[in-house]
Amino acid sequence: MKQFLVFIVLLASSFCKSLACGYSPYGEDIRYCLFQPEYFNYSHYKAFYYNANLFGFDYDENPNDYRANVEANILDWHNYTNKMVSVEAIEDFNNNLKLTDIHAKSTNDFIQYLYQNKKLDAIGYLKMAKNCEAVNNVFEEDSWERNEIANTNERTVLLNKLVRITQREKNLYFKRKYAFLTIRLAYYAKRQDVMEKFFEDNFNLSKKDYLYNWSLFFYTFTKSDAEAMVNAANLMAYCPEKAYASYYYFHENFKISEVLQQAKTKEEIANVYAYASIQKVDKTLDYLKEIYKKNPKSEILGFLLLREINKIEDWVYTPYYSNYLPSTQFDYWSDNTDKITTETLRNRSENDRLYAQEVLDFIQTIDLKATQNPMIWKAAQINLQFITRKYSDCLQQIASFEKTYKTNKAVEQIEKIKALCITANQEYGKAIIQPEIQHLILKYKNDERFIFAFGRELEFKGNITDGMALISLLETNFDNGYDVSNVEWQGNRIRTSGNLEVFYTYFDYLDFVYAAQDLQTIVDKLKTDFSSGFEKAIYARLLKDKDYLQDLLGTKYIRENQLDKALVTYKSIGKSYWDENYNAWERGNYGEDYSFDQNPFYDFKYTKDFIEHKEKFLVTKLSITEHLIKYTNLAYNPKTKDRDYYYFLLANCYYNMSDYGNSWMMRRYSSSSSYYGQEFENESYIDEIEYRNKKKASTYYKLAFENAKTPKFKALCLRMMDYAEKNTFSSSKRVTGQFPQFSSDLSGCENLSNYFKSRR
């Protein structure tokens, strides 16, 4: 069986993490699904759940581990024993025991029952069945086929014996069981004549039980393509144990127009449309309508409706909530990605809401009582009403659903839609977490996709504070490894966003997307009293990170050049925070490179002892901000004696607060200088151009030059203007043109210390 397997290795750093280029989540990592299939009793169709990574098909070799449905053969034996033997004991025999385990002293309850009650016919049959298993197991054969003749001979001998046993068996119950064993063994022995004869002699249309379907599966290999396709379609619809096999072996030659010509009944026509629908990952509403016309009681029709809802959720919710393309569209490596903007994604999502309306219209025209499972149709209607923003109708249907199906597991899905619907059905700027749904948030707090969607609905309605509180609860524990249930999203579709294009933490998202005034509302909220247990619960993470958020707020004010507000913010943080996060020994939640190891006013990278430290202080964001304000006031004060000196210090600091400086931490939580050309001008950070181009540094070096008192210092200011523009110590055209006598001394960084000391 061919399966597309995706393995992802995700390396994560600390609190303010950024991933290097190369990884981009896709497929099931990003797919949104609020309508979980396992809640609607269709687990026997698990192989065909809508699944992005496997392109729609997820076959499990032991489906009993994942479904409530018990294999028909097991139930048959359970009924044979008058339900005196547990299903588990029969499954244990069927899956784990061998021919030699069938004896009177067996510890298996099923075998004990048969011997104690002298069920000799059953014991004889089971021995033959286990004998057939041994010769049918092609996986235990010699992979080099050196024993092919021996295996074929063994099958032939056993097949001849089975033929005789089946022909003389009088008990119809065991005769049909033996006939199935014969047909199956004949398939492996490549005896088509035996397969045809024993199916046609022992199985007729009057009793289409599991033995009929299991035998039909092998019999189908004797038929032409079109006839075989009809049988395959019937098996998919009626036989859970052979549903995937009917797809795997026969779908490649399936042509719906040809197969429909071979279908003889309305039910078979419906099954053919179902078989065609199950192979599609695009729209199949037309097929669903045909199935309903021909066989509204079809069980697979309910599953296909569920599958269609899962598609619509992916097409609408995935781009709407996470800002990604739908999970089955693998355009992330395409040049077209440049053209996919947030607006484009929103428009596509809105277009798919129109298709959701078409499906909703169909549901509202049918007779739900005529369907096999009215519940799935009612639940689908609720989901589609939410998707199409029919909020009042949706809430009305939810009230009815909760009364009718109050004990059903599917109510959990409906409750989540209810919470989202109530939240979305509020005026922008006035949205809150309504008291009536607060218990649902706590009840489903471990459902990451739901909580994130809820947070996004609040965010979209202008309630950033509560929205970020909910999103903050989803912090992924990367120490435990990557998991597809983790939430990832994008703030925009700008490709030049570097390492912050994809978000995994609320902190990165706040850092990258929102302005200082937005974050200020969150910080102000954290300073209030939280009286209710609900608020304490949803704000638990933000309260824990309160100091870090104030640090981020101050950083945002620095980016926006609001130094006074930055200073007020930094002063509101306790001394212990600076001690624990900004010294050579402690990093707090920050990475090993995130520390101030040089003074930005006096020091440069790779330049030892550039300027004498006239003021010595512990370098933190707080102290740097204090001195930026202090030196700005001194520099712009006409009464200051050495204004050129203070302009020069300001220029140094603003240079060092750039991507090439020693104090980039004043503006960023992670940084890279590997940007070329003008691509960075499309970055989302408000100060990105300043961060990369160092315009303020150039401005202050120019002011220092204009206020300098000696030619030597003027030459240095010109040299530093070039340095700010080019990020390298090379010969300066400015210096060479105006002060050629200093050109040699200023061509490198090794003599700057002595040069500055003698500037006067």
Side-chain angles (χ1 to χ4, degrees):
M1 178 177 59
K2 300 176 183 178
Q3 294 190 8
F4 179 78
L5 302 178
V6 178
F7 297 94
I8 299 172
V9 177
L10 182 63
L11 300 178
S13 60
S14 59
F15 181 87
C16 296
K17 160 201 59 57
S18 70
L19 295 178
C21 60
Y23 172 75
S24 181
Y26 61 94
E28 287 299 288
D29 299 350
I30 60 173
R31 182 170 74 89
Y32 257 78
C33 177
L34 300 179
F35 236 38
Q36 300 295 334
E38 54 266 26
Y39 288 149
F40 295 97
N41 300 320
Y42 289 110
S43 54
H44 47 295
Y45 289 119
K46 182 177 184 292
F48 305 105
Y49 286 174
Y50 182 72
N51 182 304
N53 286 353
L54 299 177
F55 303 101
F57 305 108
D58 182 14
Y59 177 72
D60 190 282
E61 293 184 354
N62 189 10
N64 282 326
D65 290 342
Y66 295 91
R67 71 171 198 229
N69 304 70
V70 179
E71 192 177 87
N73 179 48
I74 303 299
L75 287 177
D76 188 16
W77 285 115
H78 183 57
N79 292 326
Y80 178 82
T81 64
N82 296 315
K83 300 183 180 180
M84 299 294 291
V85 178
S86 70
V87 167
E88 290 74 19
I90 300 172
E91 287 180 330
D92 177 55
F93 166 78
N94 196 58
N95 298 327
N96 303 318
L97 301 189
K98 299 179 181 178
L99 173 63
T100 54
D101 295 317
I102 304 176
H103 52 76
K105 295 182 180 180
S106 172
T107 59
N108 178 269
D109 290 346
F110 179 43
I111 300 302
Q112 283 185 0
Y113 172 87
L114 297 179
Y115 275 100
Q116 290 170 2
N117 291 275
K118 297 181 173 53
K119 302 291 185 179
L120 302 182
D121 288 349
I123 293 171
Y125 168 78
L126 292 175
K127 286 183 177 180
M128 178 57 71
K130 288 294 183 181
N131 208 349
C132 288
E133 282 182 11
V135 299
N136 286 341
N137 192 347
V138 296
F139 299 107
E140 292 183 359
E141 293 180 5
D142 183 358
S143 59
W144 295 99
E145 300 182 350
R146 289 171 294 194
N147 295 323
E148 182 177 0
I149 296 177
N151 292 329
T152 301
N153 290 338
E154 188 177 359
R155 287 194 185 111
T156 300
V157 171
L158 188 58
L159 178 60
N160 292 335
K161 183 178 180 180
L162 255 179
V163 167
R164 294 192 297 270
I165 293 174
T166 304
Q167 289 175 334
R168 67 171 180 253
E169 178 61 53
K170 302 299 182 184
N171 186 316
L172 182 60
Y173 178 81
F174 284 104
K175 187 178 185 66
R176 295 175 82 248
K177 283 182 174 289
Y178 277 118
F180 164 69
L181 290 183
T182 304
I183 293 168
R184 185 177 65 178
L185 184 55
Y187 168 78
Y188 289 111
K190 302 178 182 179
R191 289 289 303 275
Q192 181 172 319
D193 58 324
V194 176
M195 294 166 63
E196 292 177 334
K197 173 178 174 54
F198 276 77
F199 181 82
E200 294 166 2
D201 288 351
N202 294 279
F203 297 98
N204 54 57
L205 300 180
S206 62
K207 189 176 183 180
K208 292 186 177 180
D209 60 355
Y210 79 96
L211 282 172
Y212 171 87
N213 287 320
W214 288 15
S215 300
L216 177 64
F217 170 73
F218 294 104
Y219 179 67
T220 297
F221 287 99
T222 70
K223 297 299 179 183
S224 63
D225 285 347
E227 289 180 287
M229 289 299 102
V230 174
N231 289 342
N234 290 334
L235 287 167
M236 178 173 282
Y238 299 136
C239 184
E241 295 86 0
K242 297 300 178 184
Y244 182 80
S246 71
Y247 158 77
Y248 177 71
Y249 285 102
F250 300 109
H251 77 283
E252 290 184 356
N253 297 321
F254 182 86
K255 295 180 178 61
I256 186 170
S257 59
E258 296 178 6
V259 180
L260 283 172
Q261 295 177 10
Q262 295 294 324
K264 298 180 175 61
T265 66
K266 289 183 177 180
E267 288 77 9
E268 285 188 342
I269 294 173
N271 293 342
V272 170
Y273 277 111
Y275 194 89
S277 179
I278 210 81
Q279 299 179 57
K280 290 169 65 69
V281 292
D282 55 354
K283 300 175 182 178
T284 59
L285 177 59
D286 290 343
Y287 287 176
L288 299 187
K289 290 179 178 179
E290 292 297 328
I291 299 170
Y292 176 76
K293 288 179 185 177
K294 300 298 188 293
N295 185 15
K297 286 291 185 182
S298 170
E299 181 188 30
I300 199 172
L301 174 59
F303 168 70
L304 291 173
L305 174 66
L306 170 64
R307 193 167 184 267
E308 201 71 4
I309 299 301
N310 288 155
K311 295 178 194 175
I312 294 172
E313 287 184 316
D314 186 19
W315 301 338
V316 175
Y317 290 153
T318 300
Y320 185 68
Y321 290 129
S322 70
N323 236 18
Y324 275 104
L325 290 165
S327 64
T328 54
Q329 297 183 30
F330 296 91
D331 291 356
Y332 305 107
W333 302 280
S334 166
D335 291 338
N336 292 329
T337 307
D338 287 329
K339 303 175 184 178
I340 300 174
T341 64
T342 299
E343 182 179 1
T344 301
L345 286 169
R346 287 288 184 267
N347 290 337
R348 292 176 64 166
S349 179
E350 293 305 310
N351 186 58
D352 287 317
R353 289 184 197 268
L354 298 178
Y355 177 63
Q357 182 63 54
E358 292 181 41
V359 179
L360 177 59
D361 291 341
F362 166 59
I363 294 175
Q364 292 177 333
T365 62
I366 70 170
D367 180 7
L368 295 183
K369 294 180 181 178
T371 63
Q372 183 267 343
N373 183 6
M375 182 195 69
I376 184 61
W377 294 85
K378 294 178 181 179
Q381 182 176 353
I382 289 170
N383 199 351
L384 291 170
Q385 285 172 328
F386 172 64
I387 291 174
T388 56
R389 300 190 176 99
K390 305 292 191 301
Y391 298 136
S392 297
D393 293 341
C394 181
L395 293 172
Q396 185 177 350
Q397 290 294 327
I398 288 174
S400 174
F401 189 96
E402 289 177 328
K403 290 179 182 178
T404 306
Y405 302 102
K406 62 179 65 178
T407 61
N408 196 289
K409 185 73 172 174
V411 170
E412 294 185 7
Q413 306 291 294
I414 301 304
E415 286 181 332
K416 294 171 188 176
I417 295 175
K418 177 181 179 180
L420 292 170
C421 187
I422 289 175
T423 303
N425 192 28
Q426 297 182 85
E427 185 179 346
Y428 181 86
K430 297 182 179 180
I432 63 171
I433 304 176
Q434 295 291 343
E436 63 193 280
I437 59 174
Q438 290 181 359
H439 71 287
L440 296 178
I441 305 303
L442 299 179
K443 181 178 181 181
Y444 300 116
K445 65 181 180 180
N446 293 326
D447 185 335
E448 294 183 318
R449 289 290 200 267
F450 163 66
I451 292 297
F452 182 77
F454 194 93
R456 290 289 263 178
E457 288 289 354
L458 287 167
E459 182 186 5
F460 296 156
K461 288 295 180 177
N463 186 345
I464 300 173
T465 307
D466 288 339
M468 289 301 106
L470 287 170
I471 292 175
S472 74
L473 297 179
L474 305 177
E475 294 300 275
T476 304
N477 184 359
F478 290 98
D479 291 337
N480 292 335
Y482 181 76
D483 189 287
V484 294
S485 66
N486 298 330
V487 175
E488 294 135 338
W489 74 103
Q490 296 188 135
N492 53 41
R493 293 292 300 191
I494 300 175
R495 291 198 65 185
T496 55
S497 297
N499 292 335
L500 289 175
E501 183 179 0
V502 180
F503 297 102
Y504 306 85
T505 70
Y506 83 93
F507 191 95
D508 284 347
Y509 184 58
L510 284 175
D511 177 24
F512 189 66
V513 172
Y514 281 106
Q517 64 179 18
D518 300 314
L519 181 54
Q520 184 71 65
T521 62
I522 297 176
V523 170
D524 291 343
K525 174 70 174 180
L526 298 179
K527 295 178 181 179
T528 63
D529 292 330
F530 290 89
S531 56
S532 71
F534 173 74
E535 276 199 321
K536 290 178 181 177
I538 69 168
Y539 276 90
R541 180 61 190 244
L542 294 187
L543 287 168
K544 179 182 178 183
D545 297 338
K546 181 180 177 181
D547 288 343
Y548 289 101
L549 289 171
Q550 291 186 101
D551 185 335
L552 175 59
L553 177 59
T555 304
K556 285 183 176 291
Y557 282 131
I558 292 291
R559 294 171 187 167
E560 296 177 9
N561 203 34
Q562 299 189 64
L563 298 183
D564 291 336
K565 289 185 177 181
L567 182 60
V568 170
T569 302
Y570 287 145
K571 283 185 174 180
S572 68
I573 307 175
K575 180 178 180 298
S576 60
Y577 174 80
W578 302 113
D579 292 341
E580 293 170 2
N581 291 278
Y582 289 95
N583 65 63
W585 302 276
E586 299 289 342
R587 295 289 186 275
N589 287 332
Y590 301 121
E592 62 181 10
D593 297 327
Y594 195 86
S595 66
F596 294 100
D597 56 359
Q598 291 177 294
N599 190 308
F601 295 98
Y602 302 106
D603 303 323
F604 279 88
K605 287 182 178 180
Y606 321 119
T607 304
K608 186 178 181 180
D609 300 327
F610 179 42
I611 307 175
E612 179 185 355
H613 290 214
K614 288 190 175 181
E615 289 191 62
K616 296 184 179 180
F617 53 88
L618 177 65
V619 179
T620 66
K621 290 185 177 182
L622 172 59
S623 63
I624 291 174
T625 305
E626 288 175 329
H627 285 81
L628 273 174
I629 294 173
K630 176 181 177 180
Y631 294 157
T632 299
N633 292 333
L634 287 169
Y636 281 97
N637 187 347
K639 297 181 180 180
T640 301
K641 179 181 178 181
D642 293 324
R643 294 176 67 192
D644 57 341
Y645 171 72
Y646 292 110
Y647 279 129
F648 194 84
L649 293 184
L650 288 171
N652 292 343
C653 187
Y654 278 108
Y655 177 90
N656 279 314
M657 291 196 301
S658 74
D659 57 341
Y660 273 86
N662 58 39
S663 297
W664 55 264
M665 296 76 70
M666 289 294 293
R667 293 181 180 274
R668 298 291 183 269
Y669 287 89
S670 61
S671 183
S672 171
S673 58
S674 58
Y675 281 71
Y676 301 96
Q678 299 301 312
E679 291 181 356
F680 55 78
E681 291 186 359
N682 290 324
E683 284 281 1
S684 292
Y685 282 122
I686 192 172
D687 65 336
E688 191 65 27
I689 294 178
E690 167 62 29
Y691 187 63
R692 306 292 178 184
N693 285 334
K694 309 160 192 66
K695 292 181 180 295
K696 290 182 74 66
S698 296
T699 297
Y700 281 119
Y701 282 131
K702 184 177 181 181
L703 288 170
F705 169 80
E706 292 171 351
N707 286 273
K709 301 176 179 62
T710 66
K712 193 167 188 177
F713 189 51
K714 283 181 177 289
L716 176 61
C717 293
L718 291 177
R719 179 66 200 88
M720 297 306 292
M721 288 173 65
D722 283 342
Y723 183 50
E725 294 172 2
K726 299 178 182 179
N727 300 306
T728 180
F729 280 112
S730 59
S731 59
S732 169
K733 291 183 179 180
R734 287 188 176 101
V735 174
T736 302
Q738 297 187 47
F739 303 101
Q741 67 272 31
F742 302 122
S743 179
S744 176
D745 290 341
L746 292 173
S747 62
C749 61
E750 60 274 4
N751 296 321
L752 282 181
S753 177
N754 292 330
Y755 185 93
F756 188 85
K757 288 178 182 178
S758 59
R759 80 187 195 282
R760 297 291 177 194

